[in-house]
Amino acid sequence: LQSVLKNFSGHLPVNGVLATYMGKLPGWEHCLEFEYGDTDCLTAELSELYSYTEEPEFALNRACFEEDFRTQGSVWTELDVAEQKAYVMRLLDALEVTNRDRRLKVARAILYLAQGVFDECDTEEDVLHWSRHNIFLLHGMGTFTALLELLSMEIDNNQACSTAVRKPAISLADSTELRVLLSIMYLMVEMVRSEAEDNKPEWRTARETFKAELGSPLYNGEPFALLLFTMVTKFCSMNAPHFPMKKVLLLLWKTILFTLGGFEELQELKVRGRERLNLPPLPEDSIKVVRSMRAASPPASAVELIEQQQQQKRGRRSRRVPLVKQDSLDTYGERDPFKNDEARDEEEDGDDVDGAIEGEVDPLDRDTIIQPPPPPPPLPLQLCPPSERLSFPKGLPWAPKVREKDIEHFLETSRNKFIGFTLGSDTETLVGLPRPIHESVKTLKQHKYISIAEVQIKREEELQQCPLTLGEEEVEDTPIEILYQGMLPNLSQYVIALLKLLLAAAPTSKAKTDSINILADVLPEEMPITVLQSMKLGVDVNRHKEIIVKAISALLLLLLKHFKLNHIYQFEYISQHLVFANCIPLILKFFNQNIMSYISAKNSICALDFPHCVVYEMPELTAESLESGDSTQFCWRNLFSCINLLRILNKLTKWKHSRTMMLVVFKSAPILKRALKVKQAMMQLYVLKLLKIQTKYLGRQWRKSNMKTMSAIYQKVRHRLNDDWAYGNDIDARPWDFQAEECALRESIERFNNRRYDKSPGGEFAPVDNCLQSVLGQRVELPEDFHYSYEMWLEREVFSQPIQWDELLQAQ
């Protein structure tokens, strides 16, 4: 490469040469093959519903079904649809019996049908096919409504709750009925929600019907999701410690995902919402842009790893490879003039982290996921194909954006400088300003972006100022609007409960005696007695916590995104509750760990995952097989959870100076910088966004010592044309009143909620009767005991009290 550049005469495509050369360096081609989406594959989502300690119950479900079905004298898969419907109807009738044990057996038989009658199947595909067929059959017969009634009975079962509260140790057996019901309902929601190649036309109709039912207030006057939120709050208040929280959270997440829609549906809703408000179309599809981004590599220690490998092979210390050391975010391979400062800064950052282990090599400085191969020699210039030379990314991935207030601020500063006065919010008058300012304003207006939130805020201000002339706002009863109205009275309780569960499931949390027990639905009745059983339970517990984190992070992100699209103040309301409940330090606490080890955790046993465990012969488990885990490079659910939590943190802090300062106060920069070691483009993007918004507050020395991070922010994060994030020259001159900022926002939210949702008759604009005769002539309903005591009251309060006429006159 040096010889090529030395002979460069101005005619060679140097970008193509650099791209070709760096494409051959170790680590560049070894990014994580992770595709971010709404969910993992269907089999993975189904397997996470069951704990490994629930494995014996698969055979119990089959036995309950066969015991009841043997009167038919045939095989389920050989019956025609009419016979299957008749049998399902008989099962639903049996669910209404008063005998609790009999009801449980019938529910297990229904669960076996929902699980795909696996004893009659030879492959996992057959199990999924019959599970889908049976679930649409069950849905058409009204099974979900029957299960919902039983679930409500179990939730209100005070005897079971009081028994669980008194028990010193709660196990899997305490939640048997709830687990069976929730498993059937989860399978129904997940199977109906997911598309498949063998979809029938009537199934599409059933899917839309089921989606509308779950999102509408058909169940006791509220959406189904609110019942599950109630279970979460009841569990976290210690009133029902036997509730199987993992299944409740998974079902709640999938219900919200099904009724409201995932990320692609959100993008479509955003496009339609902008069209409805006559706003310009989006400059790009964010989902496509993020998926096409490439992770920054190679890792910072790639050359050292190669040297170590060569030293081990030769048995002696070798000289350094004559290559320029590549930083983990150094796209162009240039040497950092502040490398010594950066190394010193990394040492200082390490001191700020509480979880650092003394005397141990930082595991983030060695690639725990991928060991890169030795680098091949660089290709000669004449061997570089034209496609490789032209494939180097040109330009930036995002179109720049400018807000209306940014243009106003720019013009205000320019007018003060050149003509000595301002014109308020006028962005059209440019009289007296020099030609470069005209060109600047033209460029800013070309990239001006008006968001749906800005239009909603402006509309809300108009409604508050002119409530009588504009009249009442017409609000469409969409599923997200119905959900917000139902959540509004107890929103703070729901948010606190979810964050309590997230804290209990975080790997960095310490076990406390007063913390909630989230392991009630994973611990067996008899604790393990062998080493193998203990190892299996340890894997199961860790997997259980990971699944809870996955469900909560995905649920909170979906709620934030849907509320923001529906109305900005609904989003701000739940955001404030999250911030006041310490969500920001909780997420930072989550990332204050060896994030590479968390991403590559192997807390799964493939042989025990459903539906593999019910189709194939169970192999003999050994301690070695449990330690080795599966062969994947990373854990999908853990990487998914990390990205979700980073996106939540971005949404909470965007355009909020007080919350950005919380990131600075909690020393998030070193924690976030360590997360950049994960070679996944989407995760790196959201980490860089969080670093960008606080860069101006971290000081000049930090920016000088982290030039590679600054370059990565420039390359990957969207630009705001007049945002001085990289300099922060006027930070000291801007005294932010953070408390006033949050209070003003809270006041706007309360006005919005009162105007739209407070339907009390004694409102602010209720008509007032000023006629004395009509007021005195109104009939007032008095309590019954008033007739017996009003004479005594008159004597005591009126007749026996002397009238002070002088005081009355003075008061007038």
Side-chain angles (χ1 to χ4, degrees):
L1 178 64
Q2 292 175 352
S3 62
V4 168
L5 296 179
K6 197 176 294 182
N7 299 326
F8 176 63
S9 59
H11 302 290
L12 299 178
V14 66
N15 280 352
V17 175
L18 287 169
T20 304
Y21 179 77
M22 289 189 293
K24 302 302 178 183
L25 284 177
W28 277 83
E29 68 279 4
H30 292 291
C31 299
L32 298 183
E33 295 296 330
F34 171 81
E35 184 175 349
Y36 183 79
D38 295 318
T39 61
D40 202 350
C41 62
L42 180 60
T43 53
E45 295 294 335
L46 295 181
S47 67
E48 290 178 353
L49 175 64
Y50 310 103
S51 302
Y52 294 147
T53 48
E54 292 181 85
E55 180 203 349
E57 297 190 9
F58 291 125
L60 186 57
N61 298 338
R62 183 188 62 199
C64 291
F65 172 80
E66 291 177 348
E67 179 184 353
D68 187 79
F69 186 71
R70 63 187 175 190
T71 56
Q72 302 288 327
S74 58
V75 180
W76 175 262
T77 55
E78 297 177 356
L79 296 178
D80 57 30
V81 176
E83 292 175 324
Q84 291 175 345
K85 286 185 176 180
Y87 180 70
V88 170
M89 184 59 71
R90 193 159 69 85
L91 287 177
L92 293 178
D93 290 339
L95 275 181
E96 299 181 2
V97 299
T98 56
N99 190 320
R100 187 181 181 86
D101 295 334
R102 173 61 181 159
R103 282 206 313 267
L104 178 59
K105 287 186 177 182
V106 174
R108 286 193 179 278
I110 296 176
L111 177 56
Y112 178 71
L113 288 176
Q115 289 171 340
V117 287
F118 47 79
D119 194 46
E120 303 176 20
C121 301
D122 298 325
T123 62
E124 295 182 26
E125 290 74 15
D126 290 343
V127 174
L128 296 179
H129 167 76
W130 281 105
S131 175
R132 189 181 303 276
H133 170 84
N134 295 340
I135 281 171
F136 276 100
L137 183 69
L138 290 168
H139 172 262
M141 303 298 292
T143 306
F144 194 86
T145 305
L147 295 173
L148 186 59
E149 294 176 358
L150 292 178
L151 181 63
S152 301
M153 288 173 53
E154 291 296 332
I155 294 173
D156 297 333
N157 189 348
N158 295 325
Q159 182 180 356
C161 293
S162 59
T163 303
V165 169
R166 290 195 301 267
K167 287 188 67 172
I170 303 173
S171 67
L172 206 64
D174 296 297
S175 59
T176 303
E177 291 83 0
L178 282 169
R179 285 187 295 105
V180 171
L181 296 174
L182 291 169
S183 296
I184 303 172
M185 299 171 94
Y186 177 87
L187 289 172
M188 292 184 71
V189 171
E190 180 65 6
M191 277 296 185
V192 175
R193 183 194 67 83
S194 59
E195 300 280 349
E197 297 179 357
D198 57 347
N199 269 347
K200 302 176 183 178
E202 60 268 21
W203 288 2
R204 295 191 184 95
T205 305
R207 177 179 292 110
E208 295 302 320
T209 303
F210 193 31
K211 179 179 179 180
E213 289 176 356
L214 289 176
S216 59
L218 295 180
Y219 306 109
N220 297 326
E222 59 185 20
F224 175 59
L226 279 184
L227 178 66
L228 300 176
F229 271 118
T230 304
M231 294 185 69
V232 173
T233 54
K234 196 171 182 180
F235 174 84
C236 290
S237 61
M238 304 292 186
N239 293 326
H242 65 297
F243 281 1
M245 257 311 103
K246 185 188 78 171
K247 285 182 167 56
V248 173
L249 291 170
L250 285 174
L251 180 55
L252 177 57
W253 166 38
K254 293 302 174 64
T255 302
I256 297 293
L257 179 61
F258 184 29
T259 55
L260 304 184
F263 301 132
E264 293 185 358
E265 288 88 346
L266 275 163
Q267 188 75 5
E268 295 174 3
L269 289 172
K270 192 173 184 180
V271 171
R272 292 202 297 268
R274 294 186 66 83
E275 291 176 353
R276 191 165 54 250
L277 296 172
N278 296 321
L279 294 175
L282 293 169
E284 70 274 304
D285 188 339
S286 58
I287 296 177
K288 293 181 180 178
V289 173
V290 172
R291 286 178 178 172
S292 63
M293 293 180 72
R294 185 178 63 178
S297 11
S301 57
V303 177
E304 287 85 351
L305 284 172
I306 297 168
E307 289 179 352
Q308 292 173 7
Q309 292 173 0
Q310 292 176 349
Q311 289 172 11
Q312 292 174 359
K313 291 179 181 178
R314 297 174 188 171
R316 59 183 178 86
R317 189 176 185 85
S318 62
R319 293 182 300 171
R320 292 182 62 86
V321 180
L323 289 175
V324 178
K325 181 178 179 181
Q326 300 289 316
D327 187 82
S328 61
L329 296 168
D330 185 4
T331 306
Y332 294 99
E334 59 189 354
R335 184 182 296 275
D336 186 0
F338 306 105
K339 198 62 183 178
N340 293 333
D341 294 335
E342 184 173 0
R344 184 164 56 252
D345 184 71
E346 287 287 343
E347 293 176 1
E348 294 173 359
D349 289 348
D351 295 337
D352 294 334
V353 181
D354 297 333
I357 302 175
E358 297 181 0
E360 180 181 353
V361 179
D362 186 5
L364 300 171
D365 285 339
R366 59 177 186 268
D367 194 356
T368 59
I369 295 182
I370 302 163
Q371 297 295 335
L379 292 176
L381 181 62
Q382 61 270 20
L383 297 182
C384 298
S387 61
E388 289 193 27
R389 292 202 300 266
L390 298 176
S391 63
F392 194 77
K394 296 180 180 179
L396 300 170
W398 304 98
K401 285 183 180 179
V402 178
R403 295 184 298 170
E404 180 73 22
K405 62 173 60 177
D406 295 331
I407 301 177
E408 294 175 3
H409 178 70
F410 175 75
L411 280 173
E412 182 182 1
T413 305
S414 301
R415 287 168 181 151
N416 277 328
K417 179 178 180 181
F418 291 106
I419 59 180
F421 65 89
T422 63
L423 298 176
S425 59
D426 184 3
T427 59
E428 302 298 329
T429 305
L430 302 178
V431 177
L433 297 176
R435 175 58 58 183
I437 300 299
H438 288 231
E439 296 295 329
S440 299
V441 173
K442 180 181 177 182
T443 303
L444 290 174
K445 287 184 176 180
Q446 285 176 348
H447 295 92
K448 185 173 75 169
Y449 176 77
I450 302 175
S451 65
I452 296 176
E454 291 172 341
V455 177
Q456 291 172 341
I457 291 174
K458 187 175 181 180
R459 174 64 176 169
E460 183 63 25
E461 290 175 354
E462 294 173 353
L463 288 170
Q464 294 288 350
Q465 292 173 358
C466 310
L468 298 179
T469 56
L470 294 178
E472 289 191 6
E473 181 185 14
E474 294 184 3
V475 182
E476 185 181 357
D477 282 339
T478 57
I480 182 61
E481 183 66 30
I482 295 172
L483 181 64
Y484 182 79
Q485 292 182 24
M487 293 178 65
L488 185 58
N490 303 309
L491 186 62
S492 60
Q493 299 178 24
Y494 300 150
V495 167
I496 291 173
L498 289 175
L499 293 183
K500 278 185 178 181
L501 292 170
L502 183 61
L503 175 62
T508 54
S509 297
K510 303 291 189 296
K512 296 181 180 178
T513 55
D514 57 342
S515 62
I516 54 178
N517 178 22
I518 59 172
L519 304 178
D521 53 333
V522 71
L523 297 177
E525 288 186 90
E526 298 179 1
M527 295 307 291
I529 55 176
T530 65
V531 175
L532 182 62
Q533 291 175 345
S534 300
M535 291 179 64
K536 177 183 171 183
L537 183 59
V539 170
D540 204 5
V541 167
N542 291 334
R543 174 177 175 266
H544 183 82
K545 292 182 178 180
E546 291 172 0
I547 295 170
I548 288 178
V549 173
K550 171 187 173 182
I552 295 176
S553 63
L555 171 64
L556 287 176
L557 180 60
L558 276 177
L559 289 175
L560 287 172
K561 290 184 74 68
H562 277 285
F563 283 147
K564 186 175 184 181
L565 192 56
N566 194 50
H567 200 286
I568 182 62
Y569 283 134
Q570 295 177 352
F571 163 79
E572 296 290 2
Y573 191 46
I574 188 174
S575 296
Q576 270 206 338
H577 279 299
L578 285 168
V579 172
F580 293 160
N582 287 332
C583 182
I584 292 177
L586 172 57
I587 295 178
L588 294 176
K589 177 182 175 67
F590 179 89
F591 281 96
N592 191 14
Q593 59 170 312
N594 188 339
I595 203 67
M596 294 286 278
S597 297
Y598 186 73
I599 295 295
S600 58
K602 299 292 191 298
N603 291 316
S604 60
I605 307 171
C606 298
L608 298 180
D609 285 339
F610 180 87
H612 185 278
C613 63
V614 295
V615 175
Y616 301 106
E617 193 73 26
M618 182 68 62
E620 183 179 357
L621 295 177
T622 61
E624 291 76 14
S625 64
L626 291 182
E627 286 181 351
S628 62
D630 54 18
S631 58
T632 55
Q633 297 175 346
F634 59 92
C635 178
W636 195 96
R637 64 172 166 267
N638 289 352
L639 189 49
F640 177 74
S641 301
C642 289
I643 294 176
N644 288 340
L645 292 173
L646 289 170
R647 296 184 73 181
I648 292 170
L649 202 54
N650 269 285
K651 288 196 171 296
L652 295 181
T653 54
K654 187 176 182 180
W655 304 120
K656 302 292 189 302
H657 300 287
S658 57
R659 300 173 192 177
T660 302
M661 288 306 298
M662 290 179 69
L663 294 178
V664 179
V665 169
F666 290 122
K667 298 182 179 180
S668 65
I671 298 173
L672 294 171
K673 276 189 65 179
R674 286 207 310 271
L676 289 172
K677 298 291 183 180
V678 180
K679 294 194 294 294
Q680 207 283 324
M682 194 170 189
M683 183 167 174
Q684 287 182 350
L685 171 65
Y686 290 109
V687 171
L688 292 172
K689 281 187 174 185
L690 290 168
L691 287 172
K692 176 185 175 181
I693 62 176
Q694 58 177 313
T695 296
K696 62 174 70 176
Y697 303 107
L698 296 176
R700 182 175 177 274
Q701 181 61 36
W702 187 92
R703 295 194 292 271
K704 186 182 76 170
S705 303
N706 293 274
M707 290 303 295
K708 301 302 180 182
T709 305
M710 302 286 284
S711 299
I713 292 172
Y714 174 81
Q715 295 166 16
K716 292 181 177 294
V717 182
R718 188 191 302 277
H719 289 271
R720 301 278 172 172
L721 291 183
N722 48 359
D723 181 14
D724 61 342
W725 65 271
Y727 306 101
N729 295 322
D730 60 341
I731 289 301
D732 295 334
R734 299 168 74 181
W736 298 105
D737 189 348
F738 301 128
Q739 190 173 6
E741 183 182 4
E742 291 289 348
C743 289
L745 179 60
R746 183 61 177 266
E747 186 179 353
S748 300
I749 295 169
E750 289 180 351
R751 284 201 304 265
F752 164 76
N753 285 331
N754 291 334
R755 180 192 62 80
R756 187 185 267 197
Y757 303 110
D758 187 8
K759 302 300 182 183
S760 58
E764 184 178 356
F765 301 103
V768 178
D769 189 357
N770 294 320
C771 179
L772 182 61
Q773 291 183 350
S774 62
V775 171
L776 294 177
Q778 290 179 359
R779 184 175 181 83
V780 180
E781 295 292 336
L782 299 173
E784 294 182 1
D785 56 350
F786 179 79
H787 299 286
Y788 302 104
S789 60
Y790 81 97
E791 292 181 349
M792 295 174 57
W793 179 84
L794 283 173
E795 182 66 30
R796 184 180 69 250
E797 300 293 338
V798 180
F799 300 142
S800 63
Q801 297 292 335
I803 300 175
Q804 303 293 335
W805 297 104
D806 294 337
E807 293 182 4
L808 287 174
L809 291 173
Q810 290 175 3
Q812 293 294 329

